[in-house]
Amino acid sequence: MNLKKITVRRSFRFLFAVCLCIVIAFTSSYIYNEKNDTDVSPVLSSFGSRGEEVRSIQKKLKSLGFYGGAVDGIYGTATKNAVTAFQKSCGIKADGIAGPTTLRYLGLSSSSGYTSSDIWLLAKLIAAEARGENYKGQVAVGAVVLNRVSHSSFPDSISGVIYQKGAFDCVTDSNWNISPSDTAKKAATEALNGWDPTGGAIYYYNPRTASNGWIRTRPVLTQIGNHVFCA
């Protein structure tokens, strides 16, 4: 056989092998990246998951009265049902999956800075103080609480601000028995996420009913619904 033909054939086989390796590598990389894209989805714990995070979720749900099973780190039917019930109570998507939003409401998200008790308490105050206001007005009341938390003249926690003596009359009257509505919970979340319709207010009052003369001397920032918000 002609030596030149043999060399050409060998070269062709070599090039074919190289191309085949490139195609395989590209395909493998694509599949790997697609898998990784799935792996980094926002879902953190769901049915079938196991581990310490699941154990933490179960322990938290148990303390809140939503879960009665064993804290075994196994995300089974009972855990999924408990997560779903908790999600419904918070007014968030009830899919039984403990993703970032659910973990934040449970107080298990390291970046949230707030516990589920904080969220619930803020929603409870909004329900008692602003249930007759429009949605923006409800968020505004929540924002005032958070502005006080950040202000040096007030306690540095949501519970401290809300239960500060004389701060909110509703905590000592029948309005405090009102359960937060879904709207109040969403308004609390909006405030916690940074929406402040008041422009930084730390006080508010209803000009038709306020009897405190001092509050009327505060610089007015805006009025939303029946409330005047001031600095």
Side-chain angles (χ1 to χ4, degrees), residues 32-54:
Y32 175 79
N33 289 332
E34 284 293 292
K35 181 180 183 298
N36 278 354
D37 285 344
T38 301
D39 288 345
V40 296
S41 66
V43 173
L44 299 182
S45 288
S46 58
F47 186 81
S49 297
R50 293 170 177 259
E52 285 305 310
E53 182 174 88
V54 177

Side-chain angles (χ1 to χ4, degrees), residues 45-46 66 75 79-99 101-102 105 182 185-186:
S45 288
S46 58
F66 289 93
Y75 206 118
T79 302
K80 180 180 178 180
N81 291 341
V83 170
T84 301
F86 174 76
Q87 290 168 329
K88 288 179 179 178
S89 76
C90 294
I92 58 178
K93 184 178 180 181
D95 55 8
I97 297 172
T101 299
T102 300
Y105 271 75
D182 289 344
K185 294 169 189 173
K186 290 178 182 177

Side-chain angles (χ1 to χ4, degrees), residues 3-230:
L3 183 60
K4 185 176 181 180
K5 290 183 178 179
I6 294 174
T7 301
V8 169
R9 287 181 179 178
R10 286 178 177 174
S11 297
F12 178 80
R13 288 174 181 172
F14 175 78
L15 289 173
F16 178 80
V18 170
C19 291
L20 182 61
C21 288
I22 291 173
V23 170
I24 292 172
F26 177 81
T27 303
S28 298
S29 176
Y30 177 79
I31 293 172
Y32 175 79
N33 289 332
E34 284 293 292
K35 181 180 183 298
N36 278 354
D37 285 344
T38 301
D39 288 345
V40 296
S41 66
V43 173
L44 299 182
S45 288
S46 58
F47 186 81
S49 297
R50 293 170 177 259
E52 285 305 310
E53 182 174 88
V54 177
R55 194 183 301 276
S56 296
I57 292 168
Q58 292 171 328
K59 185 176 180 180
K60 189 69 174 184
L61 289 169
K62 200 178 190 72
S63 70
L64 294 172
F66 289 93
Y67 179 66
V71 180
D72 55 9
I74 302 173
Y75 206 118
T77 301
T79 302
K80 180 180 178 180
N81 291 341
V83 170
T84 301
F86 174 76
Q87 290 168 329
K88 288 179 179 178
S89 76
C90 294
I92 58 178
K93 184 178 180 181
D95 55 8
I97 297 172
T101 299
T102 300
L103 291 180
R104 187 169 68 248
Y105 271 75
L106 283 169
L108 297 176
S109 174
S110 59
S111 62
S112 71
Y114 295 103
T115 67
S116 56
S117 297
D118 289 326
I119 298 168
W120 180 265
L121 187 59
L122 185 60
K124 189 173 181 62
L125 179 83
I126 291 172
E129 285 280 297
R131 66 185 182 281
E133 300 297 312
N134 59 31
Y135 184 67
K136 183 178 179 182
Q138 293 186 40
V139 176
V141 167
V144 167
V145 173
L146 298 177
N147 290 339
R148 290 188 181 187
V149 171
S150 302
H151 199 282
S152 59
S153 298
F154 296 91
D156 60 0
S157 67
I158 289 177
S159 60
V161 165
I162 291 177
Y163 288 117
Q164 185 178 27
K165 186 176 181 180
F168 299 99
D169 291 337
C170 68
V171 301
T172 58
D173 62 31
S174 59
N175 287 327
W176 198 239
N177 297 322
I178 297 172
S179 295
S181 64
D182 289 344
T183 301
K185 294 169 189 173
K186 290 178 182 177
T189 303
E190 291 264 36
L192 288 165
N193 286 338
W195 183 20
D196 181 5
T198 74
I202 53 176
Y203 300 103
Y204 65 90
Y205 64 93
N206 186 328
R208 292 181 301 177
T209 60
S211 58
N212 186 318
W214 175 85
I215 193 67
R216 294 178 183 273
T217 67
R218 305 302 301 175
V220 174
L221 299 178
T222 188
Q223 179 164 354
I224 304 173
N226 295 312
H227 287 142
V228 172
F229 294 85
C230 37

